[in-house]
Amino acid sequence: MTTKADNRLLTIARDQPYPLLFATISGAHLYGFPSPDSDYDLRGVHILPAEDLLGLNEPRETIEVSRVSDGLELDLVTHDAKKFFTLMLKKNGYVLEQLFSPLVVHTTPQHAELIEIGKTCVTRYHAYHYLGFAETQWKLFEKESPRRIKPLLYVFRVLLTGIHLMRTGVVEANLLTLNETYRLPYVPDLVARKLAGAEQSTLSGEDFDVYHAEYQRLRRELEAAMAASTLPESSPAKPALHDLLLRLRP
């Protein structure tokens, strides 16, 4: 990111109506393959005051903001701390990727505390999140004509993230970083083509069978990694999250 982009990202975070626990960058920038025209996907947690939860008004558990700032398209989604913490206790890899994203726009001491708690939220059943996400993206890739590179990269990214999580317990969402370990030979070329082109870059059809075989192989590898994983079946993090939530409420 450039400093100019940093300032625009900081501005949208600072403009929010409630204090933020954290805001990080997700999407293609986190995954390692943003196109030149990719927007910035910011994700995070806001903290509703107790009166908003106790009164008659409907609390804003989720806030979505989209804007174009000096030519930069920004998309910010935040959840109230209780909603986000509840999602952390489910097999939701997406919220853990947001929490552990190294691309931090806004942070607090409690964000660091939440990261430590988040390490205990990883379970073997998070594999189902990545299997489901990969299937959705593969179906999207398969039905398109012409077929775009973006959903195909998402397929390989989520499968490698899931495999890595099952084997190591570490949430790693960057495809290029993952490929330093898993060395899929076609990934560097696909990423280079995505980085050099527009968000809607497409593929020719001759390699479809190769990619389909790889999709099936990596699915089997993720299923095997889940079966062999030493990760727990459930998270013990609820008491720690409960305590943090009580301390966060103004």
Side-chain angles (χ1 to χ4, degrees), residues 93 97 122-124 126-131 134 155-173 178 182 218 221-223 225-226 229 231:
E97 290 172 11
V122 177
T123 73
R124 67 193 311 173
H126 278 81
Y128 290 118
H129 166 87
Y130 290 103
L131 287 166
V155 167
F156 296 136
R157 197 285 295 179
V158 298
L159 289 172
L160 289 189
T161 295
I163 292 167
H164 193 72
L165 185 64
M166 292 300 102
R167 292 178 177 175
T168 68
V170 175
V171 178
E172 177 56 68
L178 288 162
Y182 298 98
L218 291 171
E221 194 165 331
L222 175 51
E223 290 167 347
M226 178 177 64
S229 179
L231 290 171

Side-chain angles (χ1 to χ4, degrees), residues 4 16 21 23 35 71 74 94 99 117 156 187 194 225-226 236 250:
K4 187 176 183 181
Q16 297 314 298
L21 179 63
S35 298
L74 306 172
Y94 191 47
L99 175 63
I117 297 172
F156 296 136
V187 162
K194 175 73 162 49
M226 178 177 64

Side-chain angles (χ1 to χ4, degrees), residues 133-148 150-152 154-155:
F133 193 178
E135 182 178 9
T136 298
Q137 291 299 315
W138 178 261
K139 288 179 178 178
L140 176 61
F141 170 72
E142 188 176 35
K143 73 179 183 180
E144 290 185 332
S145 181
R147 295 188 174 102
R148 293 179 298 138
K150 181 178 178 179
L152 182 62
Y154 271 63
V155 167

